Amino acid sequence: MAVEHLDVLIVGAGISGIGAGRYLKTRLPAKRFAILEARGASGGTWDLFRYPGTRSDSDLHTFGYEFKPWRDEEAIASAPRILQYLRETATENGLDPHIRYHHRVRAAAFDSDTARWTVDVERDDSGATTTFTADWIFAAGGYYRYDEGFTPEFVGRDRFEGEIVHPQHWPEDLDYEGKRVVVVGSGATAVTIVPAMAGTAAHVTMLQRTPTYILSLPTKDAIGNALKKYLGPVRGHAWTRRKNIAQQRWIWRFCKRYPERARRLIRWLNAKQLPEGYPVDEHFRPPYDPWDQRLCLVPDGDLFAAIRAGTAEVVTDRIETFTEHGIRLASGRELAADIIVTATGLNVQALGGVTLTVDGAPIDPAQTVAYKGMMLSGVPNFAFIVGYTNSSWTLKVGLLCEHFCLLLKHMDEHGYAICRPEIADPTMPTRPFLDFGAGYIRRVIDQLPRQGDRLPWLTSMSYDTDVRLLRADRVVDPELHFSRAATAPSIGGDRATQGSG
């Protein structure tokens, strides 16, 4: 059987992969590409997670695509609505025929003689294996494992007589009506699940070891809806997007520049929505500064409303052991539970767990440095997407996809077959790729790529900076080397053509 060859092989049919497919389809329509998806459905995160209340924690005017207006009145959207939006995008842009389901990429080997990747793929539906070749690989699967979430070892877990559920593997038939529920965790998943279950469950307790910064924002963007009403959906979406990008950046900069003021402001906002006399500092004052970890969003203050109603509570303590009927805490208190939800985080893996080799030499991602936050030093014809951690993920997806298309166009115009980032200064200091204090990042920080201390090796988390770097800057760069064939000398810093076309 002939091996199928592609110009670009996109890995993942979630929000990043669908976006990448759309940019390729519209900007480089002659390119042959496929989107390989390990699961049996598109949508990534928004199809995988099924726990109560699954929603975005960013507004959809910025979390959605720049090219496809968000038309709903609710800017903070539920997973089914986001999934519908993503699948509409795929259909409207003719991407459905390009998506291959149940195709899990296991390994990819680059050969400089042919300037091609050979990609080994396992069929999850049949167990069969198949092979593709591709000029480029575009890894768009995010950075966490879809097949398992993170659950720490809990002493006495086997003693518990009720049900233990991880949000990433939520049972469709889980009945929690009238049940006592303890949700272990304090991140975005926990603060979503608790108010969604409260009222149906007999009582819900959010058990946290350390508090998290929580902000309440309205589900509906009144200004954005007015702009869409009077300017139309396209222009209204564009102006609302600009407004919200500026708002996100202002909040982040304020928190980083004036952390103590930000602490006091967030505490004041929380206290206004909690019962009088509530121990705010015990349960809602983290020991770290705002935005050292991601702020959690609660739409319309739903978590605070559940606490005021008495259907939910927050307990800050450490787990000593699970018992037959709940959890005993370090303080000696026991929380009774029929169901325990371990909202304890994600398992991160570099590049979707794909094994890479270049000319027979294995690539260890931890030994590479990220170039413009989208390529790896020494690895040819390979791009990846990691969105922002301090604002909407998809803002960076669009910019990276635009830059990727400019790069391919530049190579076509000059007849180049290979593109490889190389660090000019081997003494350049490096640090972790993500300057982020979340536990799921800290657990695997030694397995992820690094970043440098200067552009283009500095991984920007600023939309304004990336607009200049990825949209308006040149594609060519002294540390990005092109060659026409494996035997041709590398050409660094060719400035004959600007990436803006």
Side-chain angles (χ1 to χ4, degrees), residues 330-499:
S331 63
R333 179 182 176 185
E334 183 160 345
L335 300 177
D338 303 300
I339 299 171
I340 296 175
V341 178
T342 55
T344 45
L346 310 167
N347 276 328
V348 172
Q349 61 180 4
L351 310 177
V354 178
T355 300
L356 300 178
T357 57
V358 175
D359 296 327
I363 298 299
D364 178 1
Q367 299 302 312
T368 66
V369 181
Y371 174 85
K372 292 187 177 179
M374 64 176 289
M375 297 179 70
L376 300 175
S377 59
V379 182
N381 294 22
F382 182 90
F384 66 94
I385 282 183
V386 171
Y388 294 123
T389 57
N390 60 356
S391 56
S392 292
W393 173 278
T394 326
L395 288 176
K396 189 153 191 173
V397 169
L399 294 175
L400 289 175
C401 289
E402 289 182 37
H403 197 72
F404 179 65
C405 290
L406 291 174
L407 178 57
L408 295 190
K409 181 181 177 183
H410 176 78
M411 293 180 69
D412 289 346
E413 289 174 345
H414 293 269
Y416 297 135
I418 297 175
C419 170
R420 184 195 315 251
E422 296 288 356
I423 300 172
D425 177 9
T427 66
M428 179 182 66
T430 66
R431 64 178 191 268
F433 175 65
L434 294 173
D435 293 332
F436 198 46
Y440 59 88
I441 297 297
R442 293 199 306 269
R443 287 193 296 270
V444 297
I445 201 68
D446 60 341
Q447 302 172 32
L448 301 178
R450 308 281 292 174
Q451 65 168 308
D453 66 347
R454 70 204 72 162
L455 294 174
W457 303 102
L458 183 67
T459 299
S460 167
M461 284 292 159
S462 165
Y463 180 78
D464 293 338
T465 298
D466 282 334
V467 166
R468 294 190 296 270
L469 180 69
L470 300 173
R471 178 178 285 169
D473 200 10
R474 300 169 183 260
V475 166
V476 292
D477 182 272
E479 296 180 271
L480 189 63
H481 296 258
F482 299 92
S483 61
R484 292 181 175 83
T487 56
S490 292
I491 303 171
D494 172 12
R495 300 195 178 276
T497 303
Q498 293 191 3

Side-chain angles (χ1 to χ4, degrees), residues 35 66 167 183 246 260 268 311 326-328 350 355 383 443 445 473:
I35 304 173
E66 183 175 21
V183 179
E260 190 53 41
W268 177 74
T311 55
I327 298 175
R328 187 165 67 244
T355 300
R443 287 193 296 270
I445 201 68
D473 200 10

Side-chain angles (χ1 to χ4, degrees), residues 176-291:
Y176 55 88
E177 184 174 359
K179 304 286 183 66
R180 298 164 299 177
V181 180
V182 174
V183 179
V184 181
S186 61
T189 302
V191 303
T192 298
I193 289 175
V194 170
M197 297 182 78
T200 301
H203 188 265
V204 183
T205 301
M206 187 172 87
L207 173 59
Q208 61 182 11
R209 184 174 56 185
T210 306
T212 298
Y213 288 107
I214 296 176
L215 280 178
S216 173
L217 288 178
T219 299
K220 296 182 179 181
D221 185 334
I223 296 175
N225 288 338
L227 288 170
K228 286 186 288 187
K229 178 179 179 181
Y230 291 108
L231 298 179
V234 175
R235 291 177 62 204
H237 173 79
W239 279 103
T240 303
R241 185 179 174 89
R242 292 171 191 164
K243 171 184 74 70
N244 291 354
I245 289 171
Q247 178 178 288
Q248 290 173 13
R249 295 302 300 162
W250 183 88
I251 292 173
W252 184 82
R253 286 171 178 164
F254 176 77
C255 289
K256 298 302 286 186
R257 184 172 298 179
Y258 307 108
E260 190 53 41
R261 292 184 189 179
R263 276 176 177 265
R264 293 197 298 267
L265 177 60
I266 295 170
R267 185 195 184 282
W268 177 74
L269 292 170
N270 291 170
K272 283 181 61 179
Q273 298 183 77
L274 290 163
E276 187 175 352
Y278 188 88
V280 180
D281 291 333
E282 179 181 353
H283 301 310
F284 290 97
R285 187 176 175 88
Y288 53 86
D289 287 337
W291 272 119

